[in-house]
Amino acid sequence: MKSLKNSFIFLETIVSLIVVSIIVAIFFKLSYDNNTNKKFQNLNTISNKLKKSDYSNMQTFQEEIVILENGIEKKLLVNKITSNTHKIKLTKYELIK
């Protein structure tokens, strides 16, 4: 009878270890392999390029915009920098000095 109880406890331990290992494997797969992490990395790369004024692989053109300041319309000439990579669309406006 004692032998049967020991083998049941051993079997129960093995099953528990298998279940825990499956849960841990799924957790790691979801944490490190998901698409959100890759999109964040791509967005961070594009943001860093914009901060450093590195406009390679981006479209740059001049555009005239009209703003309203204290009831007075002002026309400004700006550079419009757009990025459309990795399904991420960003636009930056920069005053021409």
Side-chain angles (χ1 to χ4, degrees):
M1 183 74 173
K2 187 171 185 164
S3 173
L4 184 61
K5 185 176 181 182
N6 284 341
S7 59
F8 179 72
I9 291 173
F10 179 71
L11 181 63
E12 189 178 58
T13 304
I14 296 294
V15 170
S16 296
L17 287 174
I18 290 172
V19 169
V20 168
S21 64
I22 290 172
I23 291 171
V24 168
I26 290 172
F27 175 75
F28 280 123
K29 175 103 172 113
L30 292 176
S31 295
Y32 296 110
D33 236 11
N34 61 5
N35 235 357
T36 307
N37 195 16
K38 291 176 186 175
K39 283 185 180 181
F40 176 76
Q41 289 174 351
N42 291 334
L43 182 60
N44 197 23
T45 301
I46 294 169
S47 175
N48 286 338
K49 283 185 176 184
L50 287 173
K51 286 177 186 174
K52 293 177 183 177
S53 298
D54 177 15
Y55 303 135
S56 57
N57 300 327
M58 295 182 196
Q59 297 175 345
T60 304
F61 52 93
Q62 290 184 353
E63 187 175 293
E64 186 176 59
I65 61 171
V66 178
I67 62 168
L68 187 63
E69 183 179 11
N70 296 330
I72 302 170
E73 285 188 0
K74 291 185 178 182
K75 292 182 180 181
L76 297 174
L77 191 61
V78 295
N79 283 332
K80 182 178 181 181
I81 300 104
T82 58
S83 174
N84 189 10
T85 55
H86 306 289
K87 297 182 181 179
I88 299 172
K89 297 179 182 181
L90 289 175
T91 302
K92 176 182 177 180
Y93 292 94
E94 207 173 65
L95 284 174
I96 297 177
K97 297 177 183 178

